[in-house]
Amino acid sequence: MKRSRFTEEQIIGILKKQEAGLKVPDLCRKHGISDATFYKWKTRYGGLEVSEAKRLKALEDENSRLKRLLADAMLDNAALKEIVGKKVVTPVAKRQAVDHIRGVLALSERRACALVGLARRVARYISTRADDVVLRQRLRELAGQRRRFGYRRLSYLLAREGLTPNHKKLFRLYQEEGLKVRHRGGRKRALGTRSPMTVPQEPGQRWSLDFVSDALICGRRFRILAVIDDFSRENLALVADTSLSGGRVARELTTLVERYGKPLMIVSDNGTEFTSQAILKWADGMQVEWHYIAPGKPQQNGFVESFNGRLRDECLNETLFTSLTHARQILADWREDYNTVRPHSQLNGRTPDQVARQGSRGHAPKTLAIPSTPSHEKRELSF
C-alpha cells in the first residue's frame, strides 16, 4: 500500500479548515490533492480529534500485525504438516525436509531451517565423500540374493571378491541402501545360572540331531531330520519325509557313519524317535555314546537349534514347496550352499566345509554358556 504524504494530524487539520468555512476546491488546490482524496479523508477521519486518530492508527497497526502473525502461524503449520510421518532426525533427513518445504510452499531457507531445527550451514553442506557406486551396487546384489544376511555376513562375501571396506563404512552404506533384515518374532532367552559346555576339538567327535517341520502349499505336513557336526558346523544331512520313525533315523545314521566315520557322541532331545528301541539298539551296536539333553532345555543342544533357526529363516520361510520332491531338491541345494559358500560368523567367516577339511589346529576348546540343570538332571558330557 502506498504511504500517504500527509500525517493524521495534517489530515484532521485540513478537515477542520473545511469545517471552519473554507471551500473544498480551494483546500484541494492549496494542498495539491483531489476532491476524491478529500472526501475519502472526510469519510475516514470526519469528526475525529488528533488523539482519537492516533488511537485508531495504533489499532489498525496492531490488527495488521496480528493478521501477519496468524498468516505466518498457518504457513508454519502447513509446512510442518508436509513432513508429518517422516523421521526427521539425521542431518540428511533434515536437509531433505528443508528442500521439500521450500519446494512446496516457497519458503525462504532461513524460515524452513528454523522450522526443521537445522543450521543453515548444515543445509548448504555439500558432501565431498566418494559415491562408492561399485560397492553399493554389489552390496545390493548380494543382499538381493541373500535376503536374510546381515551386513557382517555380507562383508565376508565382499571380502572374497576383494572389496574390504571399513566395517563402519559398510554399515553406513547398508543402512543408506535400506537393506536391514526384518526380524521375525522374538527370541527366548535362557534363564538361571549358566555352566560351560565343552565344544569338540576336531571334526567327527560329536554330532547333534533335531527335527524341523514345515508344510507343502497343499497343506500337507512333512518333517526334516537335521544332522550337524558340532566342531565344523557342517550340515551332514537334511532328510525330508512325511514320516521319520526311529528305524528310519537309525538307517540314515548308518549311511552317515559310512560316509563320514563314527562320532564319539551324538546329542539329541528326548523325542520319541530318538528314545525308541531302534535308536537304543543302533547306539549299542555302533558303540556310540548317545546323550539326551534335559527335558525342556533346548539350549543344551544349542548348535543344532541355531542351525534350525538359520534353516527356517533363510530357506523354509523363503520358499513355497509344491511337492516333497521339490522340497528335497531345495534342501539339497541349500545344504550345499550352507556348507561350501555361506560364511559362518562363529568360524571367522570361513565355511563349514573349509573347517572340516582343515581339521584340528590344536586350539583349546571353546565354551558355550548354557543354563545349568539340577543335580538329578545332570549328565556326563565327556569324550
Side-chain angles (χ1 to χ4, degrees), residues 130-330:
D131 292 335
D132 300 306
V133 178
V134 176
L135 179 59
R136 287 176 182 269
Q137 181 179 358
R138 188 54 185 157
L139 185 62
R140 287 194 300 268
E141 292 175 354
L142 289 176
Q145 298 169 4
R146 312 278 183 165
R147 298 198 307 165
R148 304 306 299 174
F149 279 18
Y151 81 97
R152 291 185 181 88
R153 207 177 302 278
L154 291 175
S155 67
Y156 293 132
L157 299 179
L158 291 172
R160 294 178 185 176
E161 302 177 4
L163 300 174
T164 55
N166 180 276
H167 69 281
K168 292 181 289 187
K169 177 180 180 180
L170 181 62
F171 181 64
R172 175 176 57 81
L173 297 179
Y174 181 80
Q175 285 188 315
E176 291 178 358
E177 295 297 326
L179 303 177
K180 183 179 178 181
V181 178
R182 182 176 61 86
H183 294 288
R184 292 170 172 151
R187 174 185 172 189
K188 294 182 179 179
R189 302 289 180 177
L191 302 176
T193 308
R194 293 174 177 265
S195 60
M197 181 176 66
T198 305
V199 177
Q201 297 181 350
E202 293 181 357
Q205 287 188 342
R206 189 175 69 205
W207 294 354
S208 294
L209 281 66
D210 200 6
F211 284 105
V212 183
S213 63
D214 205 346
L216 306 177
I217 57 175
C218 63
R220 189 180 185 186
R221 305 291 299 180
F222 67 93
R223 306 182 73 194
I224 304 169
L225 172 64
V227 185
I228 67 166
D229 185 287
D230 289 355
F231 175 81
S232 64
R233 312 305 203 272
E234 182 181 11
N235 177 220
L236 305 180
L238 285 176
V239 182
D241 210 332
T242 54
S243 176
L244 293 171
S245 62
R248 174 69 179 279
V249 173
R251 292 196 299 272
E252 295 294 340
L253 289 177
T254 301
T255 303
L256 293 179
V257 168
E258 294 174 355
R259 183 182 305 171
Y260 297 102
K262 184 174 64 175
L264 299 179
M265 176 185 288
I266 293 179
V267 182
S268 73
D269 57 21
N270 295 270
T272 56
E273 298 86 356
F274 299 137
T275 57
S276 64
Q277 290 294 328
I279 291 297
L280 295 178
K281 290 179 180 179
W282 182 89
D284 184 63
M286 285 287 183
Q287 295 184 348
V288 174
E289 182 179 357
W290 197 289
H291 173 72
Y292 294 101
I293 63 174
K297 302 288 184 180
Q299 61 270 21
Q300 293 183 3
N301 201 12
F303 293 102
V304 73
E305 292 291 345
S306 176
F307 171 81
N308 290 345
R310 305 286 75 75
L311 171 63
R312 185 168 298 281
D313 186 49
E314 298 174 13
C315 180
L316 302 184
N317 289 346
E318 296 290 309
T319 311
L320 292 176
F321 301 111
T322 58
S323 64
L324 196 57
T325 302
H326 179 230
R328 288 169 177 167
Q329 182 61 47
I330 294 296

Side-chain angles (χ1 to χ4, degrees), residues 5 32 73 126 147 150:
R5 56 191 178 92
I126 300 177
R147 298 198 307 165

Side-chain angles (χ1 to χ4, degrees), residues 313-358:
D313 186 49
E314 298 174 13
C315 180
L316 302 184
N317 289 346
E318 296 290 309
T319 311
L320 292 176
F321 301 111
T322 58
S323 64
L324 196 57
T325 302
H326 179 230
R328 288 169 177 167
Q329 182 61 47
I330 294 296
L331 290 172
D333 295 342
W334 186 85
R335 174 178 172 270
E336 179 68 20
D337 180 81
Y338 178 87
N339 288 334
T340 60
V341 179
R342 181 187 185 276
H344 202 294
S345 58
Q346 293 300 316
L347 303 178
N348 297 324
R350 296 178 295 172
T351 63
D353 182 67
Q354 292 175 332
V355 176
R357 285 188 283 105
Q358 291 174 1

Side-chain angles (χ1 to χ4, degrees), residues 94-132:
K94 289 184 177 181
R95 279 197 291 268
Q96 293 175 351
V98 168
D99 293 340
H100 179 70
I101 291 174
R102 295 188 63 191
V104 173
L105 300 176
L107 294 181
S108 65
E109 180 187 70
R110 185 187 303 276
R111 188 169 181 180
C113 289
L115 287 173
V116 177
L118 182 69
R120 295 175 67 192
R121 61 180 179 82
V122 179
R124 298 176 181 178
Y125 173 75
I126 300 177
S127 176
T128 58
R129 181 184 292 157
D131 292 335
D132 300 306

Side-chain angles (χ1 to χ4, degrees), residues 7-19 38-60:
T7 64
E8 286 80 3
E9 294 85 350
Q10 292 173 336
I11 293 174
I12 293 175
I14 295 173
L15 295 177
K16 292 293 184 182
K17 292 179 181 179
Q18 189 269 339
E19 293 176 359
F38 177 83
Y39 288 109
K40 184 176 69 174
W41 287 352
K42 189 171 184 179
T43 302
R44 185 173 183 181
Y45 297 103
L48 293 179
E49 298 295 335
V50 174
S51 59
E52 295 174 342
K54 289 183 177 180
R55 186 167 60 254
L56 178 62
K57 178 63 175 177
L59 291 174
E60 291 176 349

